Amino acid sequence: MGVPSIEKEILTRKGEIPKREQSHLMGIPLKTKSLLGQLLLEKQLITQEQLEIALKNQKETGKLLGAVLLELNFIAEESTFLPVLSGQLDVDYVYLKSMSIPPEVTSLIPAQFVTHYKVIPIGLKDEILTVAASSPLDIHVLDEISLVVTHRLKFVLGGERDILEAIRTYYGVGAETIEQMMDKVGPVSSTNDEVANIEEIESEASISKFFNQILLEAYKDCATDIHIEPFADELRVRYRIDGVMYDAKVPKNIRHFQDAISSRIKILSNLDIAEKRLPQDGRFKVRVGSIDLDMRVSFLPTPCGESIVLRILNTTKLYSLQELGLSDRERDILERLTEKPNGIIFLTGPTGSGKTTTLYACLSRMNTDAHKIITIEDPIEYQLKGITQIQINPGIGLTFAQGLRSMLRHDPDIMMVGEVRDMETATTAIQVALTGHLIFSTLHTNDAASGVARLLDMGVEAYLITSAIQCLIAQRLVRRVCCQCRKAVRLTLEMIREFGEQVPFEAGEVIYEHKGCDACHQTGYSGREAIYEFLIFSDDIQKLILERATAGEIKAKAVASGMKTLRQSGWEKVKQEITTFQEVARVTQDGT
């Protein structure tokens, strides 16, 4: 059985509203087909050549002319040409993104109808319900909606993209699916005393469809995690995007299907659907188009039900050292470290700081026919061709330390240990490094110098640390400022004082701050980039370690010798117009 395609499942599982043939072009009846292109030419919004290309593309694909123009980037957005067209057709145009729609208005048309016909109610006045539609002159849409609405209807023109976004905002992801399930079977019990066998529920296919919609929405929003959190009166769904949590827009009735959703995820992950008292971990794979996603699943029991977290891993996306955000100096240091014949290179930082991504980038660079590379991980996040990878299993005695000892019998040149958590693993790794192997691993510390203190606390002798470790690299991820809405500001003395006296800027310099737009979901940021701190074990640093100096003393010496701290690395990103003052201050500490 292959990897399921969540896009295909969503598209093939139709609702119960009959599909009617619609002869319209971005909301325009077929008879006005030539009018759209002519109007755009008259307003100089497109050229004759662009129109001919678009019409040829439309003939080949059968798509709407407006959609073709958008796909070809001949027009930036629907709001560019729809106002012009609305005047010619004598239909009002509304810009939905600037509107706030009351709940009592959206409740007048069911989610199934707004989703199927791409319409949304926007206002009720004098018993007239105003409805924004991408096809306001389509009589079939008017007839169908009249069947479920008692008010008189007034249709206005709205952009299709704006309408779909408004449906997601005001109705929630998968609202039509939840509505259908409520109509078929009513609320499903969410008690922990009984196990709902969703294979026996009439709406099981709809549960699958709804869950697929959640996955697809998270993927399109570039989320790294999906959190499904039960509370007494709601089931909340949140996405982690660029390291920050955001509420997902889901219908309130989702709470009635809490157990069904939980069981669906457990079935996909091959977990015990009857067990709700103990934590469970699993994984499954799905496909979006040509992209395979590896979903890591974790269940935790709570008084209100099971809390679920799904981590989304794009198994086809591996970064090179050039793509990590390293400066030229930092990349040269890291490349030289990967050429070392032996020793340990530690990456440090909290969970979610990108350590594993950097490790895989290093391994990919060294993955040649001349090297034998073995890793031991928990879990294996990416499958790397040409590299032997081992998954730890403490239940049968396969720990990091045991696996590391066994790996030596396979004559490796380079090894990667997912994490050093205890003295046994640390001591074993150091002994292996001293016998002529290059090892990469991670530690959970706030900065590079604290990695030394962490190893000493584990019980590792100072002389072993200085003998085996080549470098400690601290890492964080900062959000990239959105290029489409960022705003330029001139630094003032007050702003510089706010971020500390060591800020390498002067009053009057121009930097960029985040603002927020539709492209970045109003956050002001889009994507992330790493900042680094390289603590090279020079003779002076090794001497301080042997003297059991504090982490602060080690760090001060390293900075005096030229080491750039995480915060200083972040300031460089600000100067390069990649991120903002506020973002660097958020992810780094004073003096780091």
Side-chain angles (χ1 to χ4, degrees), residues 10 52 239 292 333 342 426 443 513 541 547 567:
I10 290 173
E52 291 174 1
Y239 299 151
D292 284 347
I333 293 174
N342 54 62
L443 286 170
E513 289 190 345
I541 298 299
E547 295 172 353
R567 179 160 284 195

Side-chain angles (χ1 to χ4, degrees), residues 225-334:
D225 301 86
I226 304 171
H227 293 247
I228 303 175
E229 303 162 318
F231 297 96
D233 57 349
E234 69 171 331
L235 184 65
R236 183 165 67 168
V237 179
R238 295 194 291 171
Y239 299 151
R240 186 178 293 279
I241 303 173
D242 292 337
V244 180
M245 298 288 286
Y246 296 96
D247 276 323
K249 302 293 185 179
V250 294
K252 292 183 178 180
N253 286 336
I254 185 180
R255 62 189 176 90
H256 297 303
F257 300 93
Q258 177 178 331
D259 277 358
I261 294 169
S262 174
S263 296
R264 172 63 181 166
I265 298 172
K266 287 181 180 179
I267 288 172
L268 288 172
S269 308
N270 292 318
L271 299 177
D272 183 0
I273 64 173
E275 180 57 73
K276 298 186 178 183
R277 302 164 300 171
L278 296 174
Q280 294 192 74
D281 295 319
R283 67 195 310 167
F284 64 92
K285 286 187 177 182
V286 294
R287 180 171 295 135
V288 180
S290 61
I291 305 297
D292 284 347
L293 301 180
D294 193 356
M295 312 296 298
R296 285 168 46 190
V297 183
S298 180
F299 285 80
L300 282 179
T302 75
C304 299
E306 291 178 290
S307 179
I308 310 168
V309 175
L310 300 98
R311 171 155 290 187
I312 305 172
L313 296 171
N314 185 342
T315 57
T316 60
K317 177 59 177 175
L318 285 175
Y319 290 86
S320 65
L321 293 183
Q322 288 74 21
E323 296 174 304
L324 291 178
L326 294 157
S327 67
D328 292 340
R329 173 180 171 274
E330 291 168 340
R331 187 166 62 250
D332 288 342
I333 293 174
L334 193 52

Side-chain angles (χ1 to χ4, degrees), residues 259-536:
D259 277 358
I261 294 169
S262 174
S263 296
R264 172 63 181 166
I265 298 172
K266 287 181 180 179
I267 288 172
L268 288 172
S269 308
N270 292 318
L271 299 177
D272 183 0
I273 64 173
E275 180 57 73
K276 298 186 178 183
R277 302 164 300 171
L278 296 174
Q280 294 192 74
D281 295 319
R283 67 195 310 167
F284 64 92
K285 286 187 177 182
V286 294
R287 180 171 295 135
V288 180
S290 61
I291 305 297
D292 284 347
L293 301 180
D294 193 356
M295 312 296 298
R296 285 168 46 190
V297 183
S298 180
F299 285 80
L300 282 179
T302 75
C304 299
E306 291 178 290
S307 179
I308 310 168
V309 175
L310 300 98
R311 171 155 290 187
I312 305 172
L313 296 171
N314 185 342
T315 57
T316 60
K317 177 59 177 175
L318 285 175
Y319 290 86
S320 65
L321 293 183
Q322 288 74 21
E323 296 174 304
L324 291 178
L326 294 157
S327 67
D328 292 340
R329 173 180 171 274
E330 291 168 340
R331 187 166 62 250
D332 288 342
I333 293 174
L334 193 52
E335 287 177 350
R336 287 200 303 270
L337 288 170
T338 60
E339 294 168 0
K340 295 280 186 181
N342 54 62
I344 302 179
I345 299 167
F346 276 113
L347 271 87
T348 74
T351 302
S353 59
K355 301 186 298 298
T356 303
T357 299
T358 300
L359 283 176
Y360 278 117
C362 293
L363 293 180
S364 295
R365 183 180 186 274
M366 298 181 291
N367 187 15
T368 65
D369 292 339
H371 292 132
K372 168 77 171 184
I373 304 175
I374 306 179
T375 74
I376 181 163
E377 307 170 58
D378 181 27
I380 297 173
E381 296 193 4
Y382 299 96
Q383 299 284 346
L384 298 175
K385 186 177 180 180
I387 294 178
T388 303
Q389 296 174 270
I390 305 168
Q391 166 72 53
I392 74 163
N393 189 345
I396 59 174
L398 181 54
T399 62
F400 280 121
Q402 178 59 45
L404 192 54
R405 285 191 288 267
S406 299
M407 287 156 62
L408 282 174
R409 304 187 186 101
H410 284 252
D411 187 30
D413 300 297
I414 300 162
M415 289 179 278
M416 192 265 274
V417 181
E419 182 185 347
V420 170
R421 301 173 178 172
D422 50 51
M423 180 181 177
E424 182 184 12
T425 306
T427 302
T428 304
I430 287 174
Q431 290 172 347
V432 170
L434 292 175
T435 58
H437 299 84
L438 183 62
I439 297 178
F440 289 83
S441 190
T442 68
L443 286 170
H444 283 100
T445 61
N446 288 325
D447 59 11
S450 298
V452 176
R454 176 82 176 106
L455 292 170
L456 290 172
D457 288 341
M458 288 182 187
V460 181
E461 293 294 338
Y463 74 91
L464 290 176
I465 295 174
T466 58
S467 300
I469 297 177
Q470 298 283 354
C471 182
L472 281 162
I473 307 170
Q475 178 173 345
R476 292 290 190 282
L477 294 175
V478 294
R479 292 179 293 174
R480 285 175 163 269
V481 65
C482 177
C483 293
Q484 296 191 34
C485 65
R486 64 183 186 177
K487 57 180 181 180
V489 297
R490 289 194 179 275
L491 276 174
T492 63
L493 289 174
E494 291 75 15
M495 294 171 66
I496 292 175
R497 281 194 288 267
E498 179 184 351
F499 293 104
E501 296 297 331
Q502 296 182 349
V503 175
F505 295 89
E506 296 180 359
E509 284 192 62
V510 175
I511 62 167
Y512 283 93
E513 289 190 345
H514 66 290
K515 183 179 179 182
C517 65
D518 294 328
C520 61
H521 302 286
Q522 304 302 326
T523 64
Y525 298 97
S526 180
R528 289 190 291 178
E529 188 162 309
I531 55 175
Y532 293 92
E533 175 181 285
F534 285 77
L535 176 60
I536 305 293

